[in-house]
Amino acid sequence: MSTAVGPVPATRRSGFLTTVKAYLALTKARIIEQLLVVTVPAMMLAERSVPSLWLVLSVLVGGAGAAASAHALNCVVDADIDAKMARTSKRPLARDAVPRSHALVFGLLLGAASAVWLGLTSNWVAAWLAVAAIAFYILVYTLLLKRRTSQNIVWGGAAGCMPVVIGWAAVTGTVGWPALVLFAIIFFWTPPHFWALAMRYRDDYAAAGIPMLPVVASPRRVSRQIVAYSWAMVACSALLVPATSWIYLAATVLGGAWFLIAAHRLDSAVKRDEVVKSMRLFHLSNTYLTGLFVAVAVDSAVGWPVFGWPF
């Protein structure tokens, strides 16, 4: 006697898909895309060519897993404040779409799996750097800095700089000075990028009790800080020139000038008490960083002789 198995009810399928989407949302996939955009150029710069496609793929998989782990664990810690902010109120834990304990296990397993994967497919230097990035993002930024200081994104943003160091280490097994310059570029890029966003969502952060600089400081002070960090970012980008050729030089000069003009325009608008459209700088910052790292990749792929140090 046989028992016929009917189709899976539509409501069950819908519930499964909803759960999968909720777990994917925990990883903040759009931010991961940005992190991976900077990883491949760092690997190409380390190789001064195109690395093996297997190595690139393995680092991208491991890097994506590490970033997803950090983001999921961040959602666990920040579930309470995410529920208070309009911009984050639809995140899975903010609306109880996933049990917090399940999200915690999910994040920890992702982190462990990504570290083992990186260790086995590239090297253990890259793997331990990935673990350090996850730990720094959760323990230092999310738990220690985010709710206590207006400099939270400055120092906490260091975790977002780690993909370039991981990519470099995956190729070379070490951390060379160009990797540290790439780290510094992203480090100084992060405050203008994030403060421009925080200016737009100032009320959200204030309601959640997060002391982002635009919440606790005057718009004039924020815009001056954005200009200062923008100049530091462009200066750091120039430090990479000895490891590159004319392609990168042109990109860093033109892109840097473009970004600085935009930062000064925002500062001027604040100074004149005009309507400040900070999201323009936010979107421009994404374009700038992507363009700069594309230039690094193209420069490395073309393989023209590098400038080298003049001394």
Side-chain angles (χ1 to χ4, degrees), residues 193-272:
H193 167 76
F194 206 92
W195 285 336
L197 177 71
M199 290 177 76
R200 168 65 177 80
Y201 292 99
R202 179 190 179 281
D203 292 343
D204 254 9
Y205 287 109
I210 304 301
M212 291 295 176
L213 189 64
V215 174
V216 300
S218 67
R220 184 75 180 98
R221 181 186 168 197
V222 175
S223 66
R224 286 200 301 264
Q225 289 287 298
I226 285 175
V227 168
Y229 276 94
S230 297
W231 274 100
M233 174 192 70
V234 172
C236 281
S237 72
L239 293 177
L240 195 64
V241 169
T244 59
S245 68
W246 289 100
I247 296 172
Y248 175 80
L249 176 62
T252 194
V253 170
L254 296 175
W258 183 33
F259 196 98
L260 289 174
I261 289 171
H264 279 280
R265 281 180 175 171
L266 183 145
D267 182 51
S268 296
V270 171
K271 189 187 303 183
R272 294 194 297 267

Side-chain angles (χ1 to χ4, degrees), residues 2-228:
S2 62
T3 302
V5 178
V8 178
T11 53
R12 187 182 300 175
R13 291 199 305 271
S14 175
F16 173 75
L17 291 175
T18 299
T19 300
V20 170
K21 289 179 180 179
Y23 277 97
L24 286 176
L26 286 174
T27 68
K28 304 179 187 178
R30 292 185 65 182
I31 300 177
I32 293 176
E33 291 175 12
Q34 186 180 69
L35 295 176
L36 298 183
V37 162
V38 302
T39 303
V40 176
M43 296 179 70
M44 295 178 68
L45 183 63
E47 187 76 26
R48 197 57 192 161
S49 182
V50 180
S52 76
L53 295 182
W54 165 248
L55 180 61
V56 171
L57 179 62
S58 66
V59 172
L60 291 181
V61 171
S69 167
H71 294 156
L73 295 173
N74 171 264
C75 285
V76 172
V77 177
D78 282 351
D80 59 331
I81 59 175
D82 282 347
K84 299 175 183 178
M85 298 172 60
R87 187 174 65 88
T88 58
S89 60
K90 294 183 180 180
R91 287 179 179 171
L93 296 184
R95 52 188 175 85
D96 295 321
V98 174
R100 190 178 295 196
S101 60
H102 292 189
L104 175 62
V105 172
F106 175 66
L108 292 173
L109 288 177
L110 271 176
S114 63
V116 172
W117 171 264
L118 283 170
L120 294 177
T121 60
S122 57
N123 58 62
W124 290 101
V125 175
W128 283 112
L129 286 171
V131 171
I134 296 171
F136 187 91
Y137 187 69
I138 300 304
L139 300 178
V140 178
Y141 170 63
T142 306
L143 287 172
L144 181 62
L145 297 175
K146 187 172 183 178
R147 307 188 191 208
R148 291 179 172 84
T149 172
S150 62
Q151 296 300 300
N152 45 22
I153 199 61
V154 176
W155 301 108
C161 310
M162 289 300 290
V164 293
V165 183
I166 294 169
W168 181 281
V171 173
T172 66
T174 61
V175 178
W177 72 263
L180 298 179
V181 173
L182 293 173
F183 180 101
I185 292 171
I186 302 174
F187 181 84
F188 288 111
W189 168 87
T190 301
H193 167 76
F194 206 92
W195 285 336
L197 177 71
M199 290 177 76
R200 168 65 177 80
Y201 292 99
R202 179 190 179 281
D203 292 343
D204 254 9
Y205 287 109
I210 304 301
M212 291 295 176
L213 189 64
V215 174
V216 300
S218 67
R220 184 75 180 98
R221 181 186 168 197
V222 175
S223 66
R224 286 200 301 264
Q225 289 287 298
I226 285 175
V227 168

